[in-house]
Amino acid sequence: NYSTDAFLAGTMTVDGVTYNGVGVQFKGQTSYSMLPATSQKKSFGIDVNYTHDSLDLMGYSTLNFNNAFEDASFLREVVYLELIRDHVPAAQANFVHLNINGASWGSYPNVQQVNGDMVKEWWFSNDGILWRADRPSGTGGGPGGGGWGDGTAAFNYLGADTTTYKTYYTLKRSEQTNPWDKLVLTCQNLNQLPAAHLADSIDKYIDLDRTLWFLASEIAFSDDDSYVYKGKMDYYHYWDAETGRMTPQEFDGNSVMKTNAVNWSPFYHADNVNYPLLNRLLAVPSIRQRYLAHMRTLIEEKMQSNTFN
């Protein structure tokens, strides 16, 4: 049922408690399609209230059992999310031991769904707008190759026509009228405000401090599956109704701390105009200093052996 994105009804037992009629499906993109043929350890999505609207598991209606694709340690995503949650909106995560029809399938990272319930944990309400940056259907490639970093879905200004943005972002939920206008306004100001006015004005449109923590976290832990590397997909952003500001949000942390990214500079991609959160913000001296302070805090408080190990 992977190709149809449909759920199958199943029975789930957790700590001796049985939940009937939950929805079960395979999930993931590369973690599904690029899994070695010899492995059956695919990722699973569980819809707890698939057939019973009032059913939940400890307050949560969606579970994500990830197969830790390309992470032989199985630790990266859970550790990363735990370490950065003091400073940025990030999912909760733990480990489950999964049995299917009586057979053990071993450990799985269980990662919180990015949805309205998660939004309410980080903001005053979920009355705002949630998007996911996606790669447009049918395109591929890597950085600079017409794919990642192509200046489309990294808060790039694509003009005033809101339909253009719908090609590159997925609207996940909205409690606002004309939600796309908010995204256009954010992108326009981030890219077109004079550099001399960014320090004083950009915080009206984005949550500057959380954005800097987001960038510092991704670079410090070398997340090659989100904004700072791809520049167009695998991150969320939320427009907050109470403040009228946009905040980028971490997503999909199984590719952090890989050896191919150990030499990233603290200013990785800051010289690339297609990454405006890095290119425009870090060019402002006062913002740059605040960003570096955040980076030092992460190194001192999260990456020392007594905490990290």
Side-chain angles (χ1 to χ4, degrees):
N1 60 326
Y2 177 80
S3 61
T4 62
D5 198 34
F7 284 93
L8 302 177
T11 300
M12 179 175 68
T13 302
V14 181
D15 295 335
V17 179
T18 298
Y19 301 80
N20 293 309
V22 304
V24 184
Q25 65 175 184
F26 287 132
K27 65 180 291 289
Q29 297 179 17
T30 54
S31 63
Y32 178 91
S33 61
M34 297 180 65
L35 198 66
T38 55
S39 175
Q40 294 182 330
K41 195 176 179 74
K42 300 184 185 296
S43 299
F44 292 91
I46 309 296
D47 183 357
V48 181
N49 59 11
Y50 178 59
T51 56
H52 304 284
D53 290 342
S54 60
L55 201 60
D56 64 67
L57 176 63
M58 303 177 191
Y60 295 95
S61 59
T62 303
L63 310 175
N64 294 296
F65 301 157
N66 294 342
N67 65 355
F69 178 63
E70 293 187 336
D71 175 15
S73 75
F74 268 67
L75 292 170
R76 289 178 185 154
E77 186 163 32
V78 176
V79 170
Y80 176 55
L81 293 172
E82 174 67 22
L83 290 173
I84 67 174
R85 278 172 51 85
D86 282 350
H87 304 295
V88 296
Q92 298 186 80
N94 64 355
F95 292 99
V96 298
H97 182 187
L98 182 64
N99 294 278
I100 303 177
N101 296 331
S104 172
W105 283 47
S107 296
Y108 274 81
N110 171 38
V111 181
Q112 182 181 12
Q113 180 79 358
V114 180
N115 56 17
D117 291 334
M118 180 179 172
V119 167
K120 285 190 291 187
E121 295 178 3
W122 289 94
W123 284 272
F124 291 111
S125 70
N126 61 356
D127 294 334
I129 312 163
L130 182 67
W131 287 271
R132 178 178 174 178
D134 291 311
R135 179 170 49 207
S137 177
T139 65
W148 304 334
D150 63 358
T152 56
F155 291 107
N156 312 95
Y157 183 56
L158 308 176
D161 185 357
T162 58
T163 59
T164 306
Y165 297 80
K166 296 176 183 180
T167 304
Y168 304 108
Y169 302 90
T170 298
L171 180 64
K172 305 299 288 188
R173 60 172 289 114
S174 175
E175 301 296 328
Q176 302 290 318
T177 57
N178 302 318
W180 293 95
D181 291 344
K182 308 293 193 302
L183 177 59
V184 174
L185 182 65
T186 302
C187 295
Q188 182 180 18
N189 283 282
L190 174 62
N191 288 271
Q192 294 190 344
L193 275 173
H197 295 164
L198 274 173
D200 295 330
S201 301
I202 194 59
D203 206 31
K204 300 174 184 176
Y205 306 100
I206 65 173
D207 186 329
L208 179 59
D209 200 53
R210 271 186 171 173
T211 297
L212 296 178
W213 280 114
F214 167 81
L215 298 172
S217 298
E218 288 207 339
I219 291 179
F221 292 96
S222 60
D223 186 353
D224 76 354
D225 200 16
S226 194
Y227 182 94
V228 298
Y229 179 68
K230 293 182 174 179
K232 70 176 296 177
M233 64 180 296
D234 284 341
Y235 72 98
Y236 281 73
H237 42 98
Y238 180 72
W239 184 87
D240 177 27
E242 279 70 29
T243 65
R245 301 188 301 183
M246 197 80 75
T247 304
Q249 186 170 334
E250 178 55 44
F251 172 70
D252 201 2
N254 66 295
S255 294
V256 300
M257 298 180 278
K258 293 167 69 174
T259 55
N260 65 337
V262 294
N263 292 321
W264 282 7
S265 160
F267 305 109
Y268 183 62
H269 277 155
D271 59 349
N272 190 328
V273 296
N274 288 344
Y275 295 72
L277 288 180
L278 292 157
N279 177 260
R280 297 225 72 211
L281 296 180
L282 300 189
V284 179
S286 61
I287 297 177
R288 184 185 183 97
Q289 289 302 314
R290 193 196 302 191
Y291 164 79
L292 286 173
H294 292 350
M295 181 71 76
R296 286 193 295 270
T297 298
L298 288 173
I299 293 171
E300 293 169 2
E301 295 185 359
K302 302 298 182 181
M303 304 186 79
Q304 301 304 311
S305 59
N306 60 339
T307 299
F308 189 83
N309 291 344

